Amino acid sequence: MSIRIALDTPNALFTNLDFLTGRLILSLTHNETVAAITVKLEGESKTRLFGAPPAPHGYGYGGGSYRRREESTTENEIHKLPINNSCADGRPRIVSVVGIQMQAPGSTDHHTHQTLPPTLHAFQDQAIIRYFIKATVQRPAFYKENFRTEQDFTFFPIEPPRPPPNRRESYARIQHHFAPIVDHPSPSKSPGLFRKGSTSKPDLSNLTPLSICIDGRLPDPAIITCHEPIPLRILVTKLNDSSAAVILSLLQIELVARTNVRAHHLAKDNLTSTVILSKSNMHMRLREFDKVMEIEKGLWNDIPLPATVAPSFNACNITRSYQLHVKVGLLHAQGDHVYPELTVQTLKMPVDVFSGIHPPEALLQRTGSIFPAEPSPHVTSTAHLSPLSAKPPPAVGAPFSSPSHPEPHHPPLIPSPVPIGSGQTHPEEEGVEPMTVPDEAPPSYQDAIAEGIGPVGGVRRGYQH
């Protein structure tokens, strides 16, 4: 006998609240007695570092397991993908050994309750996040082996609730002062045999050296979206009254991913970069308006993030965060005379990468994550700048709290489960017979919140992990 799982949409990109449907096909060569068929929806976050054994971390999801008596050869299953993970916590647990209850220490791993992370395979299998359907066919005889099979699928999470639109901007800023202009005298004033006669040359020694300030600006909070262009603005501002022109010679925009991998007592940061734009030898003169020059956004506005970029996430043993690196190379000139001094400055801005799959409106209403839009200020956006170093982006996988709080706390997308059985027994409930345990596993707290909410709509683009 052999078994296999056939998904109805095997190559689809699944997200939270999607229904995962398929069939469990049993190939029998003769009659078999089956005691039970168990089908589970599971996820696994596994890390491996040098010097430490593999540290798998399993997630148990709301799909549950179902036990039933079966004699047919095909079993249809429907599972709904939950919102958050439901891994075990680190609290001590009570175990029973030969009728004696003992307290066993809990897990020392750091557990988080966040939105499910995306599928990930990176760094030569140092970090693996996979989602799969696991099926087990149990046979009643103890000497007969149970049959098992797994079927992987690709998962891409929904994004956290976004804040209301505003005119604030976060920024990274750096200043540069060009070297003073030195007019070197000619060593020989008389022309030689093959040398042209002296020509009139303007005196540049009295000109004021140019001082500039380079700004990289993003919306506040700094959020960029998968498969979409980066909402970036690059400004160059003169800090003095120099008459020199500014020339853009080099521009590079790079998204740097930092993946923190943890296995037992070891931890390692892995850096990978994705080049969004890289141009050199541009020699583009910047247009000046009241000492402010803005680099043309059309250079990168039509370039979306590639399909290999995963959204930011925080799992129990893997964390992914991003920084945007912008390199700007500038020259300066007086008239048609371009000076050879080239300055290359790098702006580093921490950002959050969202998946671009918006949560359903009904889910936002149930979790209280919809806030009224902020009133538009009557001043320009430059009066509301907040440096990224002073105000980091909001936590990934957490909704934004009410704007009335100055320092909001960011809980998970779905509130933590409420402990069951902590209340007192009412007198009228005494003597009531216990309920019969159903064959089907009860829904989790997260599934109860999302009860009745259908799959997420909209366009889903590709994801290469």
Side-chain angles (χ1 to χ4, degrees):
M1 181 177 67
S2 64
I3 60 175
R4 65 183 179 91
I5 298 175
L7 298 178
D8 293 341
T9 53
N11 299 321
L13 187 67
F14 294 96
T15 188
N16 307 94
L17 303 180
D18 278 353
F19 289 100
L20 195 65
T21 61
R23 295 178 298 162
L24 177 62
I25 301 176
L26 282 67
S27 299
L28 305 175
T29 57
H30 56 276
N31 294 334
E32 283 282 356
T33 302
V34 176
I37 296 180
T38 304
V39 180
K40 293 183 179 181
L41 171 62
E42 294 188 1
E44 182 183 41
S45 174
K46 183 170 61 176
T47 57
R48 180 192 298 268
L49 295 177
F50 178 76
H57 190 92
Y59 292 139
Y61 300 130
S65 61
Y66 310 97
R67 300 172 59 88
R68 59 180 67 86
R69 184 81 177 183
E70 294 294 342
E71 295 180 358
S72 59
T73 57
T74 301
E75 176 66 20
N76 295 324
E77 290 291 338
I78 299 177
H79 293 271
K80 187 176 183 179
L81 291 167
I83 302 286
N84 297 338
N85 59 7
S86 56
C87 60
D89 54 19
R91 293 175 296 181
R93 59 187 185 277
I94 303 299
V95 297
S96 179
V97 180
V98 196
I100 302 175
Q101 292 187 351
M102 303 177 60
Q103 183 176 355
S107 173
T108 59
D109 295 336
H110 175 70
H111 297 282
T112 61
H113 190 66
Q114 299 283 348
T115 306
L116 294 177
T119 303
L120 182 69
H121 292 269
F123 316 114
Q124 298 179 352
D125 294 340
Q126 287 186 11
I128 297 177
I129 299 177
R130 58 185 290 256
Y131 295 86
F132 54 93
I133 294 287
K134 182 174 69 175
T136 303
V137 177
Q138 300 179 6
R139 296 194 283 181
F142 71 92
Y143 54 86
K144 290 185 178 181
E145 180 184 5
N146 295 332
F147 289 89
R148 296 177 175 87
T149 186
E150 295 179 358
Q151 177 64 46
D152 291 4
F153 62 91
T154 303
F155 178 80
F156 205 63
I158 61 176
E159 64 182 26
R162 292 177 180 255
N166 57 70
R167 297 177 60 184
R168 298 191 304 267
E169 287 183 315
S170 54
Y171 69 90
R173 175 176 295 168
I174 192 170
Q175 296 183 4
H176 178 74
H177 305 277
F178 286 95
I181 302 171
V182 179
D183 191 9
H184 297 282
S186 176
S188 176
K189 295 184 179 180
S190 59
L193 181 62
F194 300 103
R195 186 179 301 168
K196 294 182 179 180
S198 61
T199 58
S200 60
K201 182 178 179 181
D203 185 12
L204 304 177
S205 58
N206 296 327
L207 296 177
T208 303
L210 178 62
S211 297
I212 59 175
C213 175
I214 306 173
D215 286 12
R217 301 188 181 183
L218 289 169
D220 183 31
I223 297 175
I224 61 179
T225 308
C226 294
H227 305 285
E228 293 184 7
I230 300 176
L232 173 68
R233 293 204 306 149
I234 305 176
L235 303 179
V236 181
T237 306
K238 285 186 178 181
L239 300 179
N240 55 10
D241 295 330
S242 175
S243 60
V246 180
I247 299 176
L248 177 64
S249 177
L250 178 146
L251 180 61
Q252 178 174 312
I253 302 176
E254 184 180 11
L255 185 63
V256 179
R258 179 185 297 272
T259 307
N260 180 260
V261 181
R262 301 175 293 276
H264 300 286
H265 61 284
L266 299 180
K268 181 181 179 181
D269 283 338
N270 297 278
L271 298 179
T272 55
S273 62
T274 302
V275 178
I276 307 300
L277 173 69
S278 181
K279 289 190 175 184
S280 59
N281 300 324
M282 301 175 66
H283 298 287
M284 179 187 299
R285 286 181 177 259
L286 301 181
R287 297 181 179 179
E288 181 180 346
F289 298 95
D290 195 15
K291 295 186 178 181
V292 178
M293 294 155 281
E294 182 173 1
I295 298 178
E296 178 60 38
K297 293 190 294 185
L299 296 173
W300 62 86
N301 250 2
D302 297 331
I303 304 177
L305 293 183
T308 55
V309 176
S312 307
F313 65 88
N314 182 23
C316 299
N317 53 356
I318 305 174
T319 301
R320 169 68 64 88
S321 59
Y322 287 93
Q323 264 195 344
L324 188 66
H325 291 188
V326 180
K327 292 184 179 180
V328 182
L330 298 176
L331 298 166
H332 68 297
Q334 285 286 351
D336 295 334
H337 181 70
V338 180
Y339 299 102
E341 181 184 357
L342 172 66
T343 176
V344 179
Q345 304 294 335
T346 303
L347 304 171
K348 299 181 180 180
M349 296 175 282
V351 297
D352 272 342
V353 178
F354 280 16
S355 64
I357 304 177
H358 302 283
E361 193 76 13
L363 180 62
L364 297 179
Q365 293 177 356
R366 292 187 184 183
T367 57
S369 301
I370 297 181
F371 311 109
E374 297 181 1
S376 300
H378 298 285
V379 294
T380 58
S381 59
T382 55
H384 294 266
L385 298 180
S386 56
L388 289 170
S389 58
K391 181 182 178 182
V396 177
F400 296 84
S401 299
S402 175
S404 61
H405 295 77
E407 294 293 337
H409 173 69
H410 304 304
L413 183 61
I414 297 297
S416 302
V418 179
I420 298 176
S422 58
Q424 300 179 357
T425 304
H426 297 282
E428 61 271 18
E429 296 180 357
E430 297 180 358
V432 179
E433 297 182 0
M435 294 190 307
T436 305
V437 178
D439 294 336
E440 192 169 300
S444 65
Y445 181 74
Q446 292 82 2
D447 294 335
I449 286 292
E451 185 73 25
I453 299 178
V456 180
V459 180
R460 302 185 188 181
R461 305 173 180 93
Y463 171 55
Q464 301 174 6
H465 53 86

